[in-house]
Amino acid sequence: MSVTLLYIEDDREIGSAVSADLREREYAVRWLESGEGAVEAAAGCQLVILDVMLPGLDGFTVGQRLKRAYPNLPVLMLSARTSIDDKLQGLEFADDYLTKPFHPDELAARIEVLLRRTGAVLSIPLKLKHLMVYEGDNRIIEAASGKEILLTGKQFQIFSYLLRHLGQILTKEQIYEAVWGESYIEGDKTLMVHIRYLREKLELDPAAPEIIETVRGIGYRVRA
Amino acid sequence: MRQPGFFRKLHASLLSRYLLIIMTALLFIPAVLVIIPLTLNMAQEDVPKEYEKYQDIKELEKIWHKEAAGLLGSSPERINNRLKALSSAYSLAAMFWVDGEGRTRLSLESADPRLWQQNERRPIPPVWTAAQAISFMKKSMAYNPKPMNIVAFVGDRAEAGEGFMVMQIPDAIIERHYFDGMSLRFTLVMFVLFTGFMVVSLLFFIQIRKRLLRLETAMAFTGEDGVPQLIDPGKPDEIGRLETAFNTMVTELAASRAREAEEEGLRKRLVSDLSHDLRTPLTVIRSHLHILGKEQLTGRGQESLKLMDERIESLGVLIENLLSYNLLSSGRMTLKPERKDVLRLLRESAAAWYPLWEKEGFQIEIDLEGEPLHWNVDESWFRRILDNLFQNIVRHARSGLYVGVAVEDREGERVIVIRDHGQGLGSGSESKGAGLGLSIVDLLLKRMELGWKVDSTKQGTTIVILSLPHGNLNKI
């Protein structure tokens, strides 16, 4: 199944080069040169790439309108601006932010992370070392034996949070606050205990974890 | 037109108004001196009618002496009768007479003995010796109150040797008392006047104080824009002029704030446009380099494309820093410091940089354990500081292949320490371009009341960030 992206960029040279690159990466791209008709064009799209400086309606206004029409549609802002105020203003509704000049690989990587985070590509099973993860069905299968691994609620929540931020290092505070929904208190061992049980279930050798990696001094990471 | 001008001038000066009050008070003293005798005359009417004939002592003396002269050579009976007649005319006075031999012949009491106070009327000796006469005189001088004694020799001559006659008027009916009452009234009027003067002065100063306080309040309280509110200018005197001057100042301040805000907006827009104009072509070049990279190229060609791509990345960073520095150094950026756990910000920032360090093959040591470290920082700008420092390590200290981020104790304070093993900030090609990023770090740290120390040698650089006593919330 092909993923459709809505790309709004007024600069033709950038627009054509980026659309071509994204098409090569097997995305269907709808490219608009202004914010006019963006809401209608977004129907059926899985993600929006939005330039901040547009003729007529600026990117922030277009983004806010899109979010109002499709609250679950991820929006990635592209900006040629510097000011941090813009970033904050943009990120209030945007899901991610990339500054020009960006490398096309960087853009592709961000798109992938966003699609995964918002569950737009959940039907594709994720292969992690010896595991096959079907995020859409909440199933984790040990590839070699075909055996399903069952997780408790909290273990599953922690694992899916790490999966949604695949490749990103997440701090203890970030994981705790996302899963438990309350402020992390320094010295709290709850998360460590849960990670230990999670590893016992997921890892081939829990003493030398391969799936959930500890990044010393910072937090945890699941690498693709 | 002179009069209104004069009054306006008077109205327009606190000094002249106060001088007017003092002048009025001073003018009242002579006025009082005129008014009091007037009230005195009026008060004479207050003397009861039956007392009136006793008020003119001189007249009484004249009458008494005339009567005495008329009685020269009269028989005692005649003198008795005459005295009785006089006593009925002056019934409130007491009378007696003493003959040539010193014997008291007749003593007539006052018709109203209540007027006589104790000691005023003492027993009259039946026989007068020289000693007794002197004692009578002395006693009537010594006692207080003393009756008015009018003494006349019968025949109005001492040589006649026919004795003397005395009329005694009680003290209580003599006008002197009324005059005492007058002096009380005088004091009262003066008291009222001075009190009035004090009250007027007090009101005058209370009014000045009230207006000054109002002005002070207006100066102290500022609106949301940090500019005090305008106040109603009252009277056109000194304080009124001060209020007008204050209003002018506030208006100018507000205008200058508006101008500043406008300049800030203009500069931000300029920077933003500049950024856009520089980055757009760079983005185009970068995407085309990427397209070019997919073509068949030799190893050298690929190498040169990679180099160009890296340079574009650096240019992007340079533009970011240049424009940020422009905004920051002109003081056109507003920071919003909040109490934040900087260790958490450090962990999150390090987490973002970690993959790049890993890719470059850095040895990474992160030690941010322990209690949260709360400093008063603007979160996004603090991240910017860390980004600049970490970026410098990747770009300028790559040769050391080491990055260390830690929280350490230095002289009892917890500080942030960022280390690399590069060739140091002062050395050769590696440090080129680091200056701008570090200038931004310096500006931002100063704005957040944080201090930093850089210890850079050929073996590496250690940057210590510490909270200056002002900004440290952990101490509170």
Short mmCIF file of all heavy atoms in Angstrom, two decimals, chain A residues 11 13-14 17 21 24-25 53 80-82 84-85 99-105 169 172-174 177 186 215 217-218 221, chain B residues 268 272-273 275-276 279-280 282-284 286-287 290 294 309 312 320 323-324 344 347-348 350-351 354 358 366 369-370 380:
data_model
loop_
_atom_site.label_atom_id
_atom_site.label_comp_id
_atom_site.label_asym_id
_atom_site.label_seq_id
_atom_site.Cartn_x
_atom_site.Cartn_y
_atom_site.Cartn_z
N ASP A 11 8.63 27.27 -3.61
CA ASP A 11 9.82 27.33 -4.47
C ASP A 11 9.83 26.12 -5.41
O ASP A 11 9.89 24.98 -4.96
CB ASP A 11 11.08 27.35 -3.59
CG ASP A 11 12.32 27.64 -4.41
OD1 ASP A 11 12.72 26.77 -5.20
OD2 ASP A 11 12.87 28.75 -4.28
N GLU A 13 11.98 25.02 -7.66
CA GLU A 13 13.20 24.20 -7.76
C GLU A 13 13.28 23.20 -6.62
O GLU A 13 13.55 22.02 -6.82
CB GLU A 13 14.43 25.10 -7.77
CG GLU A 13 14.58 25.88 -9.07
CD GLU A 13 15.76 26.82 -9.01
OE1 GLU A 13 16.89 26.32 -9.10
OE2 GLU A 13 15.54 28.04 -8.87
N ILE A 14 13.01 23.71 -5.41
CA ILE A 14 13.03 22.81 -4.25
C ILE A 14 11.89 21.80 -4.38
O ILE A 14 12.07 20.60 -4.21
CB ILE A 14 12.91 23.59 -2.92
CG1 ILE A 14 14.08 24.56 -2.76
CG2 ILE A 14 12.85 22.64 -1.74
CD1 ILE A 14 13.98 25.46 -1.55
N ALA A 17 12.52 19.02 -6.94
CA ALA A 17 13.59 18.11 -6.53
C ALA A 17 13.12 17.22 -5.38
O ALA A 17 13.33 16.00 -5.40
CB ALA A 17 14.82 18.90 -6.12
N ASP A 21 12.46 13.17 -5.31
CA ASP A 21 13.18 12.30 -4.37
C ASP A 21 12.22 11.44 -3.56
O ASP A 21 12.43 10.25 -3.37
CB ASP A 21 14.04 13.16 -3.44
CG ASP A 21 14.88 12.31 -2.51
OD1 ASP A 21 15.83 11.68 -3.00
OD2 ASP A 21 14.55 12.26 -1.29
N GLU A 24 10.78 8.70 -5.56
CA GLU A 24 11.75 7.62 -5.68
C GLU A 24 11.72 6.72 -4.46
O GLU A 24 12.05 5.55 -4.53
CB GLU A 24 13.16 8.20 -5.84
CG GLU A 24 13.59 8.31 -7.29
CD GLU A 24 14.98 8.89 -7.41
OE1 GLU A 24 15.89 8.40 -6.69
OE2 GLU A 24 15.15 9.85 -8.18
N ARG A 25 11.37 7.31 -3.31
CA ARG A 25 11.28 6.53 -2.07
C ARG A 25 9.91 5.87 -1.92
O ARG A 25 9.51 5.51 -0.81
CB ARG A 25 11.56 7.44 -0.87
CG ARG A 25 12.99 7.95 -0.84
CD ARG A 25 13.19 8.96 0.27
NE ARG A 25 14.35 9.80 0.02
CZ ARG A 25 15.57 9.57 0.56
NH1 ARG A 25 15.75 8.57 1.37
NH2 ARG A 25 16.58 10.37 0.27
N MET A 53 7.19 29.69 4.90
CA MET A 53 7.00 30.92 4.13
C MET A 53 6.31 30.63 2.81
O MET A 53 6.92 30.09 1.89
CB MET A 53 8.36 31.58 3.88
CG MET A 53 8.79 32.49 5.00
SD MET A 53 10.13 33.53 4.44
CE MET A 53 10.35 34.58 5.85
N ALA A 80 12.78 28.06 6.50
CA ALA A 80 14.02 28.71 6.13
C ALA A 80 14.29 29.85 7.11
O ALA A 80 15.15 30.68 6.90
CB ALA A 80 13.92 29.25 4.71
N ARG A 81 13.52 29.87 8.20
CA ARG A 81 13.67 30.94 9.18
C ARG A 81 14.65 30.53 10.26
O ARG A 81 15.00 29.38 10.41
CB ARG A 81 12.32 31.24 9.82
CG ARG A 81 11.37 31.89 8.86
CD ARG A 81 10.40 32.70 9.64
NE ARG A 81 9.25 33.07 8.83
CZ ARG A 81 8.22 33.73 9.32
NH1 ARG A 81 8.18 34.02 10.57
NH2 ARG A 81 7.21 34.05 8.54
N THR A 82 15.03 31.52 11.06
CA THR A 82 16.00 31.26 12.12
C THR A 82 15.36 31.35 13.51
O THR A 82 15.62 30.52 14.36
CB THR A 82 17.14 32.30 12.06
OG1 THR A 82 17.79 32.11 10.83
CG2 THR A 82 18.12 32.11 13.18
N ILE A 84 13.78 31.44 16.95
CA ILE A 84 13.26 30.34 17.77
C ILE A 84 11.78 30.52 18.04
O ILE A 84 11.03 29.57 18.21
CB ILE A 84 14.08 30.25 19.08
CG1 ILE A 84 15.40 29.56 18.75
CG2 ILE A 84 13.31 29.52 20.16
CD1 ILE A 84 15.98 28.72 19.81
N ASP A 85 11.33 31.78 18.04
CA ASP A 85 9.91 32.04 18.25
C ASP A 85 9.07 31.31 17.20
O ASP A 85 8.04 30.75 17.50
CB ASP A 85 9.63 33.54 18.14
CG ASP A 85 10.10 34.26 19.40
OD1 ASP A 85 10.14 33.58 20.43
OD2 ASP A 85 10.43 35.44 19.33
N THR A 99 14.84 22.36 9.49
CA THR A 99 15.33 23.64 8.98
C THR A 99 16.05 23.44 7.65
O THR A 99 16.81 22.50 7.48
CB THR A 99 16.31 24.26 10.00
OG1 THR A 99 15.70 24.23 11.27
CG2 THR A 99 16.61 25.70 9.65
N LYS A 100 15.81 24.35 6.73
CA LYS A 100 16.51 24.34 5.45
C LYS A 100 17.93 24.87 5.65
O LYS A 100 18.12 25.75 6.48
CB LYS A 100 15.77 25.22 4.43
CG LYS A 100 14.44 24.65 3.99
CD LYS A 100 13.78 25.63 3.06
CE LYS A 100 12.44 25.11 2.56
NZ LYS A 100 11.76 26.06 1.68
N PRO A 101 18.94 24.47 4.94
CA PRO A 101 18.91 23.42 3.92
C PRO A 101 19.01 22.03 4.56
O PRO A 101 19.96 21.75 5.27
CB PRO A 101 20.18 23.72 3.12
CG PRO A 101 21.10 24.39 4.10
CD PRO A 101 20.24 25.09 5.10
N PHE A 102 18.02 21.20 4.32
CA PHE A 102 18.01 19.85 4.92
C PHE A 102 18.53 18.85 3.87
O PHE A 102 18.48 19.10 2.66
CB PHE A 102 16.60 19.47 5.36
CG PHE A 102 15.58 19.63 4.27
CD1 PHE A 102 15.35 18.59 3.36
CD2 PHE A 102 14.86 20.82 4.13
CE1 PHE A 102 14.41 18.74 2.35
CE2 PHE A 102 13.94 20.97 3.11
CZ PHE A 102 13.71 19.95 2.22
N HIS A 103 19.02 17.74 4.34
CA HIS A 103 19.45 16.68 3.44
C HIS A 103 18.23 15.81 3.14
O HIS A 103 17.47 15.51 4.06
CB HIS A 103 20.55 15.85 4.11
CG HIS A 103 21.28 14.96 3.15
ND1 HIS A 103 20.74 13.77 2.71
CD2 HIS A 103 22.48 15.09 2.52
CE1 HIS A 103 21.59 13.21 1.85
NE2 HIS A 103 22.65 14.00 1.73
N PRO A 104 18.02 15.42 1.90
CA PRO A 104 16.84 14.61 1.57
C PRO A 104 16.72 13.35 2.42
O PRO A 104 15.61 12.94 2.77
CB PRO A 104 17.04 14.27 0.10
CG PRO A 104 17.88 15.39 -0.43
CD PRO A 104 18.78 15.79 0.69
N ASP A 105 17.86 12.75 2.79
CA ASP A 105 17.81 11.57 3.65
C ASP A 105 17.23 11.90 5.01
O ASP A 105 16.50 11.11 5.61
CB ASP A 105 19.22 10.99 3.84
CG ASP A 105 19.74 10.32 2.57
OD1 ASP A 105 18.90 10.07 1.67
OD2 ASP A 105 20.95 10.07 2.49
N ILE A 169 16.86 8.07 21.18
CA ILE A 169 17.14 7.77 22.58
C ILE A 169 16.10 8.52 23.40
O ILE A 169 15.86 9.70 23.20
CB ILE A 169 18.55 8.24 22.98
CG1 ILE A 169 19.59 7.53 22.13
CG2 ILE A 169 18.78 7.98 24.47
CD1 ILE A 169 20.97 8.10 22.26
N LYS A 172 14.73 8.60 30.80
CA LYS A 172 13.85 7.93 31.78
C LYS A 172 12.60 8.78 32.02
O LYS A 172 11.49 8.27 32.10
CB LYS A 172 14.61 7.77 33.11
CG LYS A 172 15.59 6.63 33.11
CD LYS A 172 16.34 6.57 34.42
CE LYS A 172 17.35 7.70 34.51
NZ LYS A 172 18.20 7.65 35.71
N GLU A 173 12.82 10.11 32.15
CA GLU A 173 11.69 11.00 32.41
C GLU A 173 10.66 10.93 31.28
O GLU A 173 9.45 10.83 31.53
CB GLU A 173 12.14 12.47 32.51
CG GLU A 173 13.04 12.79 33.68
CD GLU A 173 14.50 12.89 33.27
OE1 GLU A 173 14.90 12.13 32.35
OE2 GLU A 173 15.23 13.71 33.84
N GLN A 174 11.16 10.96 30.04
CA GLN A 174 10.24 10.96 28.89
C GLN A 174 9.39 9.69 28.88
O GLN A 174 8.18 9.76 28.69
CB GLN A 174 11.04 11.08 27.58
CG GLN A 174 11.55 12.48 27.31
CD GLN A 174 12.52 12.56 26.14
OE1 GLN A 174 13.30 11.63 25.91
NE2 GLN A 174 12.48 13.65 25.41
N GLU A 177 6.95 9.60 31.98
CA GLU A 177 5.84 10.55 31.87
C GLU A 177 4.87 10.17 30.76
O GLU A 177 3.66 10.40 30.88
CB GLU A 177 6.40 11.97 31.67
CG GLU A 177 6.86 12.54 33.01
CD GLU A 177 7.83 13.70 32.91
OE1 GLU A 177 7.86 14.35 31.85
OE2 GLU A 177 8.55 13.95 33.90
N GLU A 186 13.17 11.71 40.58
CA GLU A 186 14.53 11.16 40.51
C GLU A 186 14.70 10.07 41.57
O GLU A 186 14.31 10.24 42.71
CB GLU A 186 15.54 12.30 40.72
CG GLU A 186 16.98 11.93 40.48
CD GLU A 186 17.26 11.40 39.08
OE1 GLU A 186 16.73 11.98 38.12
OE2 GLU A 186 17.98 10.39 38.95
N VAL A 215 21.33 3.36 27.08
CA VAL A 215 22.32 4.38 26.72
C VAL A 215 22.75 5.00 28.04
O VAL A 215 21.97 5.71 28.68
CB VAL A 215 21.72 5.43 25.76
CG1 VAL A 215 22.77 6.47 25.41
CG2 VAL A 215 21.18 4.77 24.52
N GLY A 217 23.72 6.85 31.19
CA GLY A 217 23.63 8.25 31.59
C GLY A 217 22.47 9.00 30.97
O GLY A 217 22.17 10.12 31.37
N ILE A 218 21.80 8.39 29.95
CA ILE A 218 20.70 9.10 29.30
C ILE A 218 19.38 8.34 29.42
O ILE A 218 18.43 8.84 30.02
CB ILE A 218 21.00 9.39 27.82
CG1 ILE A 218 22.35 10.11 27.66
CG2 ILE A 218 19.88 10.23 27.22
CD1 ILE A 218 22.68 10.49 26.25
N ARG A 221 16.90 2.93 24.20
CA ARG A 221 16.66 3.10 22.77
C ARG A 221 16.37 1.73 22.16
O ARG A 221 16.96 0.72 22.54
CB ARG A 221 17.90 3.71 22.12
CG ARG A 221 17.97 3.60 20.60
CD ARG A 221 19.07 4.44 20.02
NE ARG A 221 20.39 3.92 20.34
CZ ARG A 221 21.54 4.50 19.92
NH1 ARG A 221 21.50 5.60 19.19
NH2 ARG A 221 22.71 3.98 20.24
N LYS B 268 13.56 41.67 13.18
CA LYS B 268 13.20 40.25 13.12
C LYS B 268 12.80 39.88 11.70
O LYS B 268 13.14 38.81 11.21
CB LYS B 268 12.07 39.94 14.09
CG LYS B 268 12.56 39.64 15.49
CD LYS B 268 11.41 39.20 16.37
CE LYS B 268 11.93 38.88 17.76
NZ LYS B 268 10.83 38.77 18.71
N SER B 272 14.65 37.38 9.28
CA SER B 272 13.87 36.25 8.80
C SER B 272 13.90 36.19 7.26
O SER B 272 14.08 35.11 6.67
CB SER B 272 12.46 36.40 9.35
OG SER B 272 11.58 35.63 8.65
N ASP B 273 13.78 37.35 6.61
CA ASP B 273 13.83 37.40 5.15
C ASP B 273 15.21 37.01 4.64
O ASP B 273 15.35 36.25 3.68
CB ASP B 273 13.50 38.82 4.64
CG ASP B 273 12.04 39.15 4.83
OD1 ASP B 273 11.27 38.20 5.12
OD2 ASP B 273 11.66 40.33 4.70
N SER B 275 17.38 35.19 6.15
CA SER B 275 17.54 33.76 6.39
C SER B 275 16.89 32.97 5.25
O SER B 275 17.48 32.05 4.69
CB SER B 275 16.91 33.41 7.73
OG SER B 275 16.85 32.04 7.89
N HIS B 276 15.67 33.39 4.91
CA HIS B 276 14.94 32.70 3.85
C HIS B 276 15.70 32.79 2.53
O HIS B 276 15.88 31.80 1.82
CB HIS B 276 13.54 33.31 3.71
CG HIS B 276 12.72 32.70 2.64
ND1 HIS B 276 12.61 33.26 1.39
CD2 HIS B 276 11.98 31.58 2.61
CE1 HIS B 276 11.84 32.50 0.64
NE2 HIS B 276 11.44 31.47 1.36
N ARG B 279 18.85 30.57 2.65
CA ARG B 279 18.65 29.14 2.81
C ARG B 279 17.98 28.50 1.60
O ARG B 279 18.24 27.33 1.31
CB ARG B 279 17.78 28.85 4.05
CG ARG B 279 18.50 29.04 5.35
CD ARG B 279 17.49 29.03 6.48
NE ARG B 279 18.04 29.54 7.73
CZ ARG B 279 18.65 28.78 8.62
NH1 ARG B 279 18.78 27.49 8.40
NH2 ARG B 279 19.11 29.30 9.72
N THR B 280 17.12 29.27 0.95
CA THR B 280 16.42 28.68 -0.19
C THR B 280 17.39 28.19 -1.28
O THR B 280 17.32 27.01 -1.65
CB THR B 280 15.37 29.66 -0.72
OG1 THR B 280 14.50 30.00 0.36
CG2 THR B 280 14.55 29.07 -1.85
N LEU B 282 20.45 27.43 -0.95
CA LEU B 282 21.25 26.34 -0.37
C LEU B 282 20.48 25.02 -0.43
O LEU B 282 21.04 23.96 -0.71
CB LEU B 282 21.64 26.65 1.08
CG LEU B 282 22.78 27.64 1.29
CD1 LEU B 282 23.03 27.86 2.78
CD2 LEU B 282 24.07 27.11 0.64
N THR B 283 19.17 25.12 -0.16
CA THR B 283 18.33 23.91 -0.21
C THR B 283 18.29 23.35 -1.63
O THR B 283 18.36 22.13 -1.83
CB THR B 283 16.90 24.24 0.26
OG1 THR B 283 16.97 25.07 1.40
CG2 THR B 283 16.11 22.99 0.59
N VAL B 284 18.17 24.29 -2.58
CA VAL B 284 18.13 23.86 -3.99
C VAL B 284 19.45 23.15 -4.32
O VAL B 284 19.45 22.03 -4.86
CB VAL B 284 17.91 25.08 -4.91
CG1 VAL B 284 17.97 24.63 -6.38
CG2 VAL B 284 16.59 25.75 -4.60
N ARG B 286 21.53 21.71 -2.38
CA ARG B 286 21.67 20.45 -1.65
C ARG B 286 20.85 19.33 -2.30
O ARG B 286 21.33 18.21 -2.45
CB ARG B 286 21.24 20.64 -0.19
CG ARG B 286 21.94 19.65 0.69
CD ARG B 286 21.76 19.96 2.15
NE ARG B 286 22.54 19.01 2.94
CZ ARG B 286 22.51 18.96 4.26
NH1 ARG B 286 21.75 19.78 4.94
NH2 ARG B 286 23.24 18.07 4.89
N SER B 287 19.60 19.67 -2.70
CA SER B 287 18.80 18.61 -3.33
C SER B 287 19.40 18.19 -4.68
O SER B 287 19.36 17.02 -5.04
CB SER B 287 17.33 19.00 -3.50
OG SER B 287 17.13 20.33 -3.25
N HIS B 290 22.25 15.93 -4.18
CA HIS B 290 21.73 14.59 -3.89
C HIS B 290 21.38 13.85 -5.18
O HIS B 290 21.70 12.66 -5.34
CB HIS B 290 20.51 14.72 -2.99
CG HIS B 290 19.93 13.41 -2.58
ND1 HIS B 290 20.59 12.54 -1.73
CD2 HIS B 290 18.76 12.80 -2.92
CE1 HIS B 290 19.85 11.47 -1.55
NE2 HIS B 290 18.73 11.59 -2.26
N LYS B 294 23.35 10.41 -7.28
CA LYS B 294 22.78 9.15 -7.77
C LYS B 294 23.30 8.79 -9.15
O LYS B 294 23.08 7.68 -9.63
CB LYS B 294 21.26 9.27 -7.80
CG LYS B 294 20.65 9.29 -6.42
CD LYS B 294 19.15 9.42 -6.54
CE LYS B 294 18.58 10.01 -5.27
NZ LYS B 294 17.32 10.66 -5.52
N ASP B 309 28.34 18.83 0.37
CA ASP B 309 27.17 18.66 1.23
C ASP B 309 27.48 19.09 2.67
O ASP B 309 26.69 19.79 3.32
CB ASP B 309 26.71 17.20 1.20
CG ASP B 309 25.32 17.07 1.77
OD1 ASP B 309 24.37 17.52 1.09
OD2 ASP B 309 25.18 16.55 2.89
N ILE B 312 27.63 22.83 2.89
CA ILE B 312 26.28 23.44 2.90
C ILE B 312 25.68 23.35 4.31
O ILE B 312 25.12 24.31 4.84
CB ILE B 312 25.37 22.77 1.84
CG1 ILE B 312 25.84 23.21 0.45
CG2 ILE B 312 23.91 23.16 2.06
CD1 ILE B 312 25.11 22.51 -0.67
N GLU B 320 22.43 30.42 10.75
CA GLU B 320 21.64 30.36 11.98
C GLU B 320 22.33 31.18 13.09
O GLU B 320 21.73 32.02 13.74
CB GLU B 320 21.49 28.89 12.40
CG GLU B 320 20.80 28.65 13.73
CD GLU B 320 19.30 28.83 13.64
OE1 GLU B 320 18.75 28.60 12.55
OE2 GLU B 320 18.69 29.22 14.65
N LEU B 323 22.58 35.08 12.32
CA LEU B 323 21.33 35.81 12.50
C LEU B 323 20.91 35.81 13.97
O LEU B 323 20.40 36.81 14.47
CB LEU B 323 20.25 35.23 11.59
CG LEU B 323 20.61 35.31 10.11
CD1 LEU B 323 19.51 34.73 9.25
CD2 LEU B 323 20.90 36.74 9.68
N SER B 324 21.13 34.69 14.66
CA SER B 324 20.81 34.66 16.09
C SER B 324 21.65 35.68 16.82
O SER B 324 21.17 36.40 17.70
CB SER B 324 21.13 33.29 16.70
OG SER B 324 20.41 32.30 16.07
N ARG B 344 17.87 17.43 33.17
CA ARG B 344 16.92 16.84 32.25
C ARG B 344 17.12 17.39 30.83
O ARG B 344 17.14 16.65 29.85
CB ARG B 344 15.51 17.14 32.75
CG ARG B 344 14.46 16.55 31.90
CD ARG B 344 13.08 16.90 32.39
NE ARG B 344 12.14 16.25 31.49
CZ ARG B 344 10.98 15.76 31.86
NH1 ARG B 344 10.61 15.85 33.11
NH2 ARG B 344 10.19 15.20 30.99
N ARG B 347 20.20 15.84 29.43
CA ARG B 347 19.98 14.45 28.98
C ARG B 347 19.27 14.43 27.64
O ARG B 347 19.65 13.70 26.73
CB ARG B 347 19.15 13.69 30.02
CG ARG B 347 19.99 12.98 31.07
CD ARG B 347 19.15 11.97 31.83
NE ARG B 347 18.20 12.64 32.71
CZ ARG B 347 18.49 12.98 33.97
NH1 ARG B 347 19.66 12.69 34.50
NH2 ARG B 347 17.60 13.61 34.70
N GLU B 348 18.24 15.29 27.51
CA GLU B 348 17.47 15.30 26.26
C GLU B 348 18.32 15.78 25.09
O GLU B 348 18.27 15.25 23.99
CB GLU B 348 16.21 16.15 26.42
CG GLU B 348 15.17 15.43 27.27
CD GLU B 348 13.96 16.28 27.62
OE1 GLU B 348 13.80 17.37 27.02
OE2 GLU B 348 13.19 15.84 28.49
N ALA B 350 21.64 15.68 24.94
CA ALA B 350 22.66 14.66 24.67
C ALA B 350 22.04 13.50 23.89
O ALA B 350 22.67 12.94 22.98
CB ALA B 350 23.27 14.17 25.97
N ALA B 351 20.79 13.15 24.23
CA ALA B 351 20.12 12.07 23.52
C ALA B 351 19.98 12.39 22.03
O ALA B 351 20.13 11.52 21.17
CB ALA B 351 18.73 11.84 24.12
N TYR B 354 23.56 12.13 20.53
CA TYR B 354 24.21 10.83 20.72
C TYR B 354 24.42 10.06 19.41
O TYR B 354 25.53 9.60 19.14
CB TYR B 354 23.36 10.02 21.71
CG TYR B 354 24.11 8.91 22.40
CD1 TYR B 354 24.68 9.11 23.65
CD2 TYR B 354 24.23 7.66 21.82
CE1 TYR B 354 25.36 8.11 24.30
CE2 TYR B 354 24.92 6.64 22.47
CZ TYR B 354 25.47 6.88 23.71
OH TYR B 354 26.13 5.88 24.34
N GLU B 358 27.99 8.88 18.03
CA GLU B 358 28.21 7.44 17.81
C GLU B 358 28.74 7.21 16.40
O GLU B 358 29.70 6.48 16.18
CB GLU B 358 26.86 6.73 17.94
CG GLU B 358 26.81 5.69 19.00
CD GLU B 358 25.41 5.10 19.12
OE1 GLU B 358 24.49 5.53 18.38
OE2 GLU B 358 25.24 4.22 19.95
N ILE B 366 28.62 9.99 29.87
CA ILE B 366 27.58 10.88 30.39
C ILE B 366 27.30 10.51 31.84
O ILE B 366 26.99 9.36 32.15
CB ILE B 366 26.31 10.79 29.52
CG1 ILE B 366 26.63 11.44 28.16
CG2 ILE B 366 25.14 11.52 30.17
CD1 ILE B 366 25.63 11.18 27.10
N GLU B 369 23.76 11.75 36.95
CA GLU B 369 22.94 11.15 38.00
C GLU B 369 22.74 12.14 39.15
O GLU B 369 23.44 13.14 39.26
CB GLU B 369 23.63 9.88 38.52
CG GLU B 369 23.73 8.77 37.48
CD GLU B 369 22.39 8.42 36.83
OE1 GLU B 369 21.41 8.24 37.57
OE2 GLU B 369 22.34 8.37 35.59
N GLY B 370 21.81 11.80 39.99
CA GLY B 370 21.60 12.58 41.21
C GLY B 370 20.35 13.44 41.15
O GLY B 370 19.57 13.36 40.20
N SER B 380 14.21 26.96 25.61
CA SER B 380 14.65 26.79 24.22
C SER B 380 16.04 27.40 23.99
O SER B 380 16.84 26.85 23.25
CB SER B 380 13.63 27.37 23.25
OG SER B 380 13.16 28.57 23.72
#
